[in-house]
Amino acid sequence: MNKVIGYAPATVGNVACGFDVLGFALTQPGDKVTITYIEKDVPTYEININSIVGDGGVLPKDTNRNTAGITLAKFLDNLLENKLIHPHFQISIDLEKNLPLSSGMGSSASSAAAALIAVNHLFNNIYPKKELVQFAMEGEYLACGSYHADNVSPAILGNFVLIRSYDPLDLIEIPSPTNLYATLIHPHLEVKTADARSILKDQIALKDAVKQWGNVGALVNGLLTQNMGVIGRSLEDFVAEPYRAPLIPSFYDVKHAAKDLGALGCSIAGSGPSLFAFSESEQIAKNVGLAMKEVFKTKAGLNADFWISKLDSPGANVISEHNTVASN
Ligand code: HSE
């Protein structure tokens, strides 16, 4: 029997201007997935979800209806189709959810990434990390009906990632300034990604597209040149934020509070309801988090949790491994 525990962190998709093409990882919080592998004499394979904790009993244990389960199933199907492994095993999944569901913090991506990194390790890292992203996107499709990669890419690779192209998948990792800090705040309510996507427009006006791609280019430049002013100016969104803001009570008050306290910029994390802000020091990032939390409470009557992180997360990794030889 082999047991491997994988961990993958929370992530922020879109990062204001980069709808479906930009995302970054935090260092924590994150989900943990324990994969237990048992070899079988007979030529069959089986994946089952043994336990899920931290989800309030909401997530399905049916492999094909769970983001970690479906991701592993697609990964193993691929290995079997390519005759890279033999179908003589049983794999059990124990999932520890530490990320709130429907939060905009990349909860489904975190579970899928943690499961993948663990099972890939079991098979001697058969694929490089970047190749795992395509499988984790299956979990996103299951969760919300869309194959977006802006959460799963940083959940697996860490740091800040740009998806230059989806077909073929072309992921570009972007280093961030060492003194750039993210505040991620989660007000206690749920917004389903599928709902938050369904309210977006199929088409955008050319004048908005011009502003949007100007900001994407500038944000990448600001990260690469460590120019905090450019980073701050680029955190604008004309594609998703205007339509999603009404889903988050007191969104603009919270955003203004973050900027008043010195944040470089602030927007919706992924499809919300969480918000992220960037700051140039840990102290400012903390003050920003406290101010946002206060405004959520006083203006919207919502409790909220927040986390501070640099943008240098290593992404998904194996945190424990335990090999034993089954005795007869
Ligand atoms: N890019 C995705 C969206 C992220 O905005 O719908 C979901 O977290």
Side-chain angles (χ1 to χ4, degrees), residues 11-15 18-22 103-108 140 144 146 148-151 166 192-194 196-198 200 240 244 268-272:
T11 50
V12 171
N14 303 337
V15 202
F19 180 74
D20 276 2
V21 300
L22 290 178
S103 60
M105 294 171 59
S107 178
S108 51
E140 296 296 64
C144 73
S146 135
H148 62 277
D150 48 330
N151 290 109
Y166 274 84
K192 295 212 178 309
T193 298
R197 290 182 81 87
S198 71
L200 300 180
R244 289 174 167 176
I268 301 172
S271 54

